[in-house]
Structure formats: C-alpha cells, structure tokens
Amino acid sequence: MPKFAANLSLLFSELPFLERFAAARAAGFDAVEFLFPYAFEAEQIAARLQRYGLELVLHNLPAGDWAAGERGLACDPRRSAEFQDGVGLALDYALELGVRRLHCLAGRLPPNLGHERAHAAYVANLRHAAARCREHGITLLIEPINDRDMPCYFLTGTRQAAAVIEEVGAPNLGLQYDIYHMQRMEGELAETIRRYFPLIRHVQLADVPGRHQPGTGEINFPFLFGLLDELGYEGWVGCEYLPQGDTQASLAWLHEERKRHASWLDRA
C-alpha cells in the first residue's frame, strides 16, 4: 500500500490552518503537504510538525498573487528576478521544515508572449531553481495541470513535462504526477504511470469528476495503488482532493484501503 499524506490546503478546511496538523495526526496520517507556508512563520509550522510527529513532504515555490489568479512565475521571462527571489524564500522554509521536495508551478502563459519565449524562460528558471535545490539535497518537481481547471496553464501533459525534464538536464528535477489532472487531460493512467515511472518523484490524487475523494468518481484507485506497489514506488501520495462532505467522512476510502492491506499482510 502506498504511503498517504494529507494535503492541508484542501483537507480539514473546516478548521483554521494551524489546527489541521492535529486533525491529520488524529486521522492516522504520518505526513502532510500543502500549497504554501508563507502566510505563517516557519517556526509556527515546525512546532506543529514536531508536536504531532508529522513529516512535511512537499510545498510549492511562491506562485505570485494567488488570489488574483496567478499560478506561478516560471514561464514569464519578465519576472525571472522575482522567481529567483521566490526560490530563495522557499529554500529558507524548506530547510527550517525539513522538506525534501519543492514543486515549481509553471504559471499561465502570459498574454502577448509567444510559446517559444515562455518555454525558454521556463527551462532557464528551472535550471536555476534545480541548481539551488541541489545544493541542499532537495528535489525540484514540475506538475502538469489540466487546462480546464486552470486555463492557459503552461504545462499540461506528461509527455511535455518529460521533455522539459530532459532539456533541463538536472538530476534532481522530477515529475509530480497528479492522477486527477492527468485523467482529465490524458486518460490512460496506468500506461502513462508505467511509461514515465522513472521520472515520478511524487504522486497526488483526487477522483474525476468533481475532484473529490477516491470512490466518488470513475477512477479505479485500488488498481492504481496496486500498480504503484508493483512498480516499487516508495514516495508519498498526496491526498489533494476536495472532500465531499466533511473531511472525516471523506476518509472512508483510506480506512478501507488500510483494512485491505492489513488483510493481505495476514494472508501473506
């Protein structure tokens, strides 16, 4: 059975953010992830991680003005200095919080900017960020995101992401594979995971449609969890979904998965 991390940006949202760490531990999670830590002092988050015995497995680089619709800076050549400052800020937090993976949002294609210029800026910024992260033993991740939920997002497919990783050429640059986004964009989840498994360093999940918990839509999650086990995936699977109902009720799928795994271990 894969290891699951609670995404505190989406789960337990009925609670203030700093109270979600305790809720994640009470629900049986050993690890958490979230979008951004920057609204809080690193010491506040570190104290809660330590108090509840949680590992923080992932957060994002700064992504611009999120409330205004910005979704990353990496593909905008006019904001490279701001991007580089953001890398430094993310590393300050990562080192304080023990994070070993940082995700770089590509951003939306800026108006009146051609794809080639955006691509060149994206590659250059990733090379800079990967080099900075490598100094500290941190893996940098890129994630294709579906362009229905995030119109004009620059990175939308697994093949495109793999080509970017190859072009950047950094050994610590990997793929963050989001099952929800890639079901919406590509389908063929199992075959895609098999093909690009050597690049995958982090996985996230939500069901389709609705981006709710596993079991609410069309994706066969037990099959995919078995595939990850078969392939030898040792990373985390982030539960980045919008709970249908309250968060505790939405975790029924996870309790069933744990029971199934315990039963399999008993038989073995």
Side-chain angles (χ1 to χ4, degrees), residues 4-67:
F4 297 100
N7 186 295
L8 298 187
S9 296
L10 275 68
L11 301 190
F12 307 107
S13 61
E14 58 270 21
L15 298 171
F17 179 75
L18 291 177
E19 295 179 20
R20 298 175 196 177
F21 296 84
R25 169 47 72 194
F29 287 101
D30 295 321
V32 296
E33 63 176 34
F34 44 72
L35 293 179
F36 308 107
Y38 310 113
F40 302 91
E41 296 295 329
E43 293 80 2
Q44 294 177 284
I45 298 172
R48 282 154 180 82
L49 293 171
Q50 182 175 13
R51 182 184 307 167
Y52 301 111
L54 293 166
E55 178 181 353
L56 178 58
V57 300
L58 175 79
H59 67 74
N60 296 337
L61 301 185
D65 189 342
W66 192 265

Side-chain angles (χ1 to χ4, degrees), residues 171-246:
N172 63 323
L173 180 62
L175 175 63
Q176 180 169 309
Y177 188 85
D178 190 300
I179 291 168
Y180 166 78
H181 287 303
M182 292 303 92
Q183 174 67 0
R184 297 209 72 189
M185 287 300 297
E186 301 174 343
E188 296 284 348
L189 294 172
E191 179 59 29
T192 303
I193 290 170
R194 284 186 184 277
R195 182 181 305 132
Y196 294 103
F197 183 73
L199 300 178
I200 294 174
R201 299 290 180 270
H202 189 65
V203 175
Q204 291 177 321
L205 64 77
D207 216 334
V208 175
R211 200 175 184 176
H212 301 308
Q213 63 265 27
T216 58
E218 66 194 26
I219 299 175
N220 186 343
F221 279 100
F223 174 79
L224 292 180
F225 297 153
L227 175 63
L228 290 173
D229 287 342
E230 173 193 328
L231 294 171
Y233 179 67
E234 297 180 350
W236 292 91
V237 176
C239 301
E240 192 186 39
Y241 64 79
L242 298 165
Q244 193 174 62
D246 66 56

Side-chain angles (χ1 to χ4, degrees), residues 48 73 84 145 153-154 165 168 173 176 186 194 263:
R48 282 154 180 82
L73 309 175
Q84 292 181 14
I145 293 176
Y153 195 72
F154 186 73
I165 290 169
V168 172
L173 180 62
Q176 180 169 309
E186 301 174 343
R194 284 186 184 277
S263 175

Side-chain angles (χ1 to χ4, degrees), residues 29 35 50 65 81 83 85 99 115 127-128 139 145 148 154 171 216 230 247 254 257:
F29 287 101
L35 293 179
Q50 182 175 13
D65 189 342
F83 174 84
D85 289 343
V99 178
H115 186 278
R127 284 179 177 150
H128 170 85
T139 297
I145 293 176
R148 298 176 181 88
F154 186 73
T216 58
E230 173 193 328
T247 300
L254 181 55
E257 189 63 28

Side-chain angles (χ1 to χ4, degrees), residues 74-75 109 114-124 154 160 163-164 167:
C75 73
L109 182 65
H115 186 278
E116 289 186 4
R117 283 191 64 204
H119 176 83
Y122 187 41
V123 169
F154 186 73
Q160 180 191 4
V164 168
E167 184 175 354

